[in-house]
Amino acid sequence: MSMIKTVDACKTFQGKQGRGPLAVLKNVSLAVEQGEVVCIIGPSGAGKSTYLRSLNRLEKIDSGKIYIEDKLLFDCRGGVNTHGISHQELNKSLLEVGMVFQNFNLFPHKTAIENVMLAPVHVRRVPPDQAREKARVILGRVGLDDKMDAYPGQLSGGQQQRVAIARALAMEPRIMLFDEPTSALDPELVGEVLTVMKGLAQAGMTMLVVTHEMGFAREVADRVVFMFEGAILETGKPDLIFSSPSNDRTRQFLQSVL
Ligand code: ADP
Ligand code: MG
């Protein structure tokens, strides 16, 4: 089963300040299978974030189809979803998708455990005691047993990002999207976050990860996707992509980052 799939996803941003419209996603077709870890690599401005955000409805695609767990959710034409699906059904499927951002986006005035409990209590209507207990377990899993009651401002970037991962996991997603989760971190804090992500992958989580960490992609990804100027130019097993990319753009990009 494909956990998440797009067929010909297209998006254009209207140009700012007199600039022309910019095609940011050009017929992006990708399917991530259950239990698979797919890493998206590519230069800045390639459309990677826009693609992830459109999977979570943070952005709307202009045209194309989006499926979650093989269920068609969006069949967009002219920016409108022409697929007859109820709001309820749509939201239910979108709750299967967890997302972790570059800048953590934690609530600064809530403690770590409160950040993790919030969505289960308010969105899933889990009783607070139960949500707290579960948040405790999940924070333990990401190595933060001793930081449950700390506020984000009292945590390092790596710890904050692990809280953000715990917060996404608390909603029991079936797929996790990561948008450059270690790019805002000091180099010495990158490893602890990648270790948590690797653990998730080993536990069988389906993951779609935008990353500049080529070592992680090489070691953990089942498949690597290279995006450039809004299009997927190449996709393949990490060993193949990293050792003998077939596309010149991929080769140039890898030379610049490795
Ligand atoms: P990446 O994550 O690969 O760096 P993005 O998806 O963030 O790329 O951006 C792709 C392109 O779309 C960039 O040229 C960016 O400037 C542009 N873009 C992103 N968001 C917007 C927006 N809200 N309005 C206009 N242009 C945008
Ligand atoms: Mg980005």
Side-chain angles (χ1 to χ4, degrees):
M1 175 175 63
S2 295
M3 293 301 288
I4 206 153
K5 179 167 82 172
T6 60
V7 177
D8 288 331
C10 294
K11 181 167 184 75
T12 296
F13 280 120
Q14 289 318 309
K16 290 180 212 161
Q17 291 150 5
R19 271 178 283 164
L22 179 70
V24 180
L25 299 178
K26 301 171 188 163
N27 297 87
V28 178
S29 297
L30 179 67
V32 182
E33 304 303 318
Q34 187 164 17
E36 201 181 19
V37 177
V38 174
C39 284
I40 302 180
I41 61 172
S44 177
K48 306 179 300 294
S49 294
T50 305
Y51 181 63
L52 280 202
R53 290 166 59 79
S54 63
L55 295 176
N56 220 5
R57 214 174 46 170
L58 297 170
E59 297 280 1
K60 277 203 296 192
I61 55 172
D62 300 328
S63 63
K65 297 190 176 86
I66 300 176
Y67 299 78
I68 293 176
E69 297 186 297
D70 282 341
K71 184 167 164 184
L72 179 62
L73 299 186
F74 295 94
D75 184 355
C76 297
R77 287 168 220 177
V80 176
N81 189 9
T82 62
H83 181 54
I85 181 168
S86 72
H87 206 64
Q88 235 175 359
E89 240 184 315
L90 198 61
N91 283 334
K92 188 165 167 276
S93 286
L94 287 166
L95 282 180
E96 307 287 334
V97 184
M99 185 150 174
V100 174
F101 302 88
Q102 186 175 335
N103 290 312
F104 332 134
N105 298 348
L106 297 174
F107 293 103
H109 302 299
K110 304 233 175 254
T111 62
I113 197 162
E114 287 166 351
N115 266 282
V116 177
M117 292 168 59
L118 211 60
V121 169
H122 291 282
V123 180
R124 289 235 195 249
R125 305 279 167 210
V126 177
D129 284 353
Q130 211 177 307
R132 183 175 289 275
E133 198 38 51
K134 204 172 130 203
R136 209 178 281 288
V137 172
I138 298 173
L139 280 167
R141 261 176 73 192
V142 299
L144 292 174
D145 305 79
D146 55 341
K147 299 290 179 191
M148 311 259 176
D149 298 316
Y151 288 89
Q154 301 170 318
L155 298 173
S156 73
Q159 291 168 336
Q160 289 184 61
Q161 191 58 299
R162 285 186 282 147
V163 174
I165 293 172
R167 179 178 58 177
L169 291 176
M171 290 295 278
E172 302 187 342
R174 307 255 294 144
I175 174 164
M176 286 279 282
L177 311 178
F178 292 86
D179 191 2
E180 295 195 30
T182 60
S183 291
L185 299 178
D186 290 332
E188 73 272 22
L189 303 177
V190 167
E192 63 191 65
V193 171
L194 294 180
T195 300
V196 166
M197 291 170 63
K198 196 171 144 187
L200 270 180
Q202 280 165 348
M205 178 63 81
T206 307
M207 294 167 46
L208 183 55
V209 184
V210 173
T211 187
H212 289 300
E213 294 294 331
M214 297 301 145
F216 177 85
R218 190 160 202 155
E219 186 190 359
V220 181
D222 297 300
R223 219 153 26 107
V224 173
V225 169
F226 176 67
M227 256 183 103
F228 186 84
E229 292 183 351
I232 291 179
L233 294 193
E234 183 164 1
T235 161
K237 297 228 172 278
D239 278 349
L240 200 66
I241 297 259
F242 287 113
S243 61
S244 50
S246 59
N247 188 291
D248 282 343
R249 295 284 190 194
T250 317
R251 194 170 309 129
Q252 279 165 21
F253 173 75
L254 289 174
Q255 267 165 11
S256 72
V257 295
L258 287 177

